[in-house]
Amino acid sequence: MIYEPEQLGQSRNDLADRLRELRKQAGLTGDRLARRCNMSQSQISKFETGRKTPRLLDVERILRALDAPPEVLADVLTLARIANTEWQDKRSSWRRGLEKRQAELATLEADSNEIRYFLPGMITGLLAIPEYIRASLTHSPGDISKTVARKLERQAVLYDKSKHFTFLLTEQAVRWEIVPGPAMAVQIDRLVSLSRLPHVRLGVVPAGPAAPRGPMNTFTIYDDRLVTVENFTGRIVFREFRDIAEHRNIFNQFEQAALLGDSARKQLSQWAETYRVDL
């Protein structure tokens, strides 16, 4: 399926209009449809007014209750999948201010109990030392000092024992030398230190034998409710359960190929030593 940015913005309203139209064509009131679907009438109303985006399972239940023909079922389910996907372009984030993006991420982290990070390219801000954070923002426009401060403030969430974090990093992510060697050693030492927190699980995937599939994009899974996938020009937010399940499957494959616990710490310490040679 090809996602066009303009589709992602309009599809929620289109889905609401389509569901309302199909119900009326079937000659059903919202209350009668709700009873057929074992839903509340207020839930049907929110779906039809666009105040709430239904999941694919919700849409399937509604369409089957309406006896929708197969071609309508396929068309509306495609629309529903697009409606559960959001495109956030990087330039819009820049215009709004990078520190606002940090506030959004802090909210996501505060509202989540289990967060999984797949990091094929570089170390994420939650794990980074100040020098590394500043170096990672050199491509960003304007004054980055507030963004650096907000990223460092967000790191406090790592010490919330009610949450569980899993970070999977490829060797490329750990060893990409975006700061001088001495700072790289400190950065990798920080990874080792954080891996000892009882609610933080950190794994590394060394270069070598082929992994189960090529590491393509950075992505983060927040509980089982959404996934954010990043590329050079922005990020896609998936809320549809099948997309979330697919990313969980990818994550699990790399987790099985990763070094974890003491094995990961031993490998990280060896990499850190390579940056201490000239100290």
Side-chain angles (χ1 to χ4, degrees):
M1 181 184 297
I2 298 175
Y3 293 106
E4 297 291 345
E6 59 271 18
Q7 280 182 290
L8 301 183
Q10 181 61 29
S11 59
R12 294 181 188 179
N13 292 332
D14 291 343
L15 178 61
D17 293 344
R18 193 82 171 95
L19 291 175
R20 185 172 60 254
E21 174 190 339
L22 289 169
R23 174 181 59 76
K24 290 181 177 180
Q25 287 176 357
L28 294 176
T29 64
D31 186 55
R32 286 184 62 193
L33 175 59
R35 288 199 298 271
R36 286 192 181 187
C37 299
N38 196 26
M39 296 179 182
S40 67
Q41 191 277 330
S42 64
Q43 190 173 16
I44 294 293
S45 176
K46 288 176 182 177
F47 291 161
E48 293 187 357
T49 57
R51 286 179 291 163
K52 184 177 181 180
T53 302
R55 301 169 302 164
L56 256 70
L57 284 176
D58 297 324
V59 175
E60 287 178 347
R61 287 166 64 188
I62 290 171
L63 294 177
R64 297 192 189 286
L66 294 172
D67 292 323
E71 63 274 14
V72 172
L73 188 70
D75 181 57
V76 179
L77 286 176
T78 296
L79 189 60
R81 187 161 192 175
I82 298 173
N84 278 275
T85 307
E86 177 184 352
W87 167 251
Q88 300 174 349
D89 70 279
K90 187 162 290 186
R91 293 187 181 277
S92 294
S93 294
W94 287 346
R95 286 194 295 270
R96 290 189 305 116
L98 293 177
E99 62 274 12
K100 291 184 179 179
R101 173 60 183 164
Q102 295 306 305
E104 293 169 356
L105 288 172
T107 299
L108 266 177
E109 290 154 0
D111 292 343
S112 303
N113 295 314
E114 187 167 5
I115 313 177
R116 301 169 178 84
Y117 302 81
F118 179 63
L119 306 165
M122 64 187 302
I123 296 167
T124 185
L126 280 186
L127 303 175
I129 61 174
E131 292 89 340
Y132 193 100
I133 291 174
R134 280 192 287 270
S136 72
L137 293 170
T138 53
H139 67 285
S140 303
D143 183 6
I144 62 171
S145 57
K146 289 183 179 179
T147 304
V148 173
R150 290 292 288 138
K151 280 179 174 280
L152 292 172
E153 288 172 10
R154 281 178 48 221
Q155 292 179 356
V157 76
L158 290 174
Y159 301 93
D160 184 343
K161 295 180 181 179
S162 69
K163 300 181 184 298
H164 298 276
F165 301 88
T166 304
F167 298 90
L168 294 183
L169 302 94
T170 65
E171 181 173 348
Q172 158 68 21
V174 175
R175 304 191 69 178
W176 187 25
E177 197 170 344
I178 69 170
V179 292
M184 284 297 298
V186 173
Q187 173 60 78
I188 298 174
D189 286 343
R190 174 167 168 76
L191 298 181
V192 173
S193 176
L194 290 173
S195 75
R196 298 185 186 280
L197 292 173
H199 52 286
V200 173
R201 182 175 171 84
L202 192 148
V204 294
V205 183
R213 60 195 302 171
M216 297 179 65
N217 297 101
T218 294
F219 64 84
T220 307
I221 307 171
Y222 297 90
D223 295 324
D224 285 322
R225 57 195 178 91
L226 67 87
V227 175
T228 62
V229 181
E230 299 184 31
N231 59 30
F232 283 113
T233 58
R235 65 188 63 84
I236 299 176
V237 181
F238 294 104
R239 293 183 174 85
E240 203 280 303
F241 80 96
R242 294 172 194 172
D243 293 317
I244 296 171
E246 177 61 19
H247 282 87
R248 280 288 301 274
N249 179 53
I250 295 169
F251 192 90
N252 291 340
Q253 289 179 34
F254 278 100
E255 189 170 12
Q256 291 172 11
L259 300 176
L260 297 159
D262 288 338
S263 296
R265 286 187 281 273
K266 180 179 179 181
Q267 180 66 83
L268 287 167
S269 296
Q270 290 175 357
W271 290 337
E273 287 305 312
T274 66
Y275 295 105
R276 273 192 270 268
V277 172
D278 297 328
L279 294 183

